[in-house]
Every structure is written in C-alpha cells, then in structure tokens.
Amino acid sequence: MKKLLLSVFTILFLFASCEVETIDVAFTDDHQIDNPSDTVFSVLGILAHVQKVADQMVVLGEVRGDLVQLRPDIVDEEITILSNFETNIPTKYNPYREFYAVINNCNYYLYKAPADMYREGENIFARERAAVSAIRCWSYLQLALNYQRIPYYTTPLLSFSDIEEVANNPSNLKSLDEL
C-alpha cells in the first residue's frame, strides 16, 4: 500500500512541476460560451476577480477619508502615496492589472456569449450581459479615477501581441471625460 501511495505522489509531483511555454493568454477554442451553464460560471469567474479588486478598493477609500491622519512612523510609504492622491504610482493597493483582468474577462464574455439566444420569447443572456457590461464600466471608471488616462478596449485580448498593440497605441488612451 505504501509503495502504491508513493508511486501516485511521485507521478503527481512530476506532472505538477512541468512547465508549458505559450504566448496565448486564453485558449479560445477550448471554451465556448454558448449555453446558460457556461455563462453562469463565466460570470462567477468575473465576480471572483471583482472581489479581489473590491478588497483593494476598500483600503483605497479608507485611506483617502477626510478624517484620516496618517502617522509616518507606522504607515508604509505605499499607503502615504495613496492618501496623497498620487495616483500615477502603482502600489500593491491599487494594481491596475487586477482591473484589466476584470475588463478582459468581461470583454471575452460579451464577445462570446450570444446576444440573440431566446427561450420562450425571452432573451436568455440579457440580464447577465447587462451585469457584465456594468462591471466593465465600473472597472474603467475606477481606473480612470486613479490613473487619469488609461488604455481602453472592448475586444478580448487573447495573446501577448494583442496586449502590446493596445498598450502601445496612444489613440487607445482615454480620460474620464472620454470614457
């Protein structure tokens, strides 16, 4: 019995330590959002990313409160940066990458989930699509409030070359007013 368990753990360890190099960000052929159970799980994944961002937004909001006075001997430099509204400096409390993870997942959902699927005269995905659109809008709003000019895109970025193209194109930068 011990030999069997040792063999199983060895095999699991060997497979778990394998590295796979790829330039794809998402595997579009493996995941089609074309039925209600797929869309529910996709929305739950988006909400999991939103939860990470929301936790960081609580810290950001509390630090910038009117009645908060920071003591430099206790508070680290990143909290001081946030409380002084120095938004162009990324910190662990306002990482833009988490926001873009939410946005890219929303874009993927809106791109893949059919907008014209009806059951008994009712659009099946209308409510989910509206919720995902609202989450994407909120994410862009938070980014614009924190960083002034941000890359804006509405198509899912599925490879590193797509990401570089959007990030390096100055016409994609939008301010809060433009959003």
Side-chain angles (χ1 to χ4, degrees):
M1 182 68 173
K2 289 181 183 179
K3 287 183 181 182
L4 177 65
L5 285 174
L6 183 61
S7 300
V8 169
F9 283 124
T10 303
I11 291 170
L12 288 175
F13 177 75
L14 291 174
F15 283 116
S17 64
C18 294
E19 291 185 25
V20 177
E21 291 186 27
T22 180
I23 59 168
D24 290 335
V25 176
F27 302 103
T28 57
D29 296 337
D30 293 343
H31 185 65
Q32 300 296 322
I33 304 176
D34 56 2
N35 67 54
S37 62
D38 285 344
T39 61
V40 168
F41 290 119
S42 296
V43 172
L44 288 175
I46 291 169
L47 291 176
H49 283 290
V50 170
Q51 181 63 44
K52 287 181 189 176
V53 171
D55 292 342
Q56 295 162 350
M57 294 305 295
V58 168
V59 172
L60 187 63
E62 293 299 322
V63 170
R64 292 179 174 172
D66 291 338
L67 301 176
V68 174
Q69 290 183 341
L70 299 178
R71 291 182 45 196
D73 58 326
I74 297 175
V75 177
D76 66 351
E77 185 180 352
E78 291 185 344
I79 297 283
T80 306
I81 288 169
L82 292 176
S83 69
N84 293 333
F85 291 89
E86 297 174 20
T87 55
N88 293 332
I89 303 169
T91 68
K92 65 183 174 186
Y93 300 105
N94 66 345
Y96 58 90
R97 294 182 73 169
E98 295 293 334
F99 283 107
Y100 278 113
V102 172
I103 290 168
N104 202 42
N105 281 309
C106 289
N107 287 342
Y108 187 79
Y109 177 89
L110 293 171
Y111 181 74
K112 288 288 190 175
D116 58 352
M117 188 178 283
Y118 291 88
R119 182 183 301 152
E120 298 177 7
E122 183 179 347
N123 188 330
I124 297 173
F125 302 125
R127 291 186 181 125
E128 290 176 359
R129 289 179 67 83
V132 169
S133 295
I135 290 168
R136 182 177 66 178
C137 290
W138 176 82
S139 299
Y140 273 124
L141 173 67
Q142 297 304 316
L143 279 169
L145 289 172
N146 286 325
Y147 296 103
Q148 282 80 36
R149 295 188 59 78
I150 57 167
Y152 176 78
Y153 60 97
T154 57
T155 58
L157 304 179
L158 303 176
S159 68
F160 290 117
S161 61
D162 291 345
I163 295 169
E164 289 174 351
E165 182 180 322
V166 167
N168 295 329
N169 187 348
S171 68
N172 290 331
L173 292 176
K174 306 290 183 200
S175 67
L176 183 60
D177 294 334
E178 293 170 312
L179 289 175

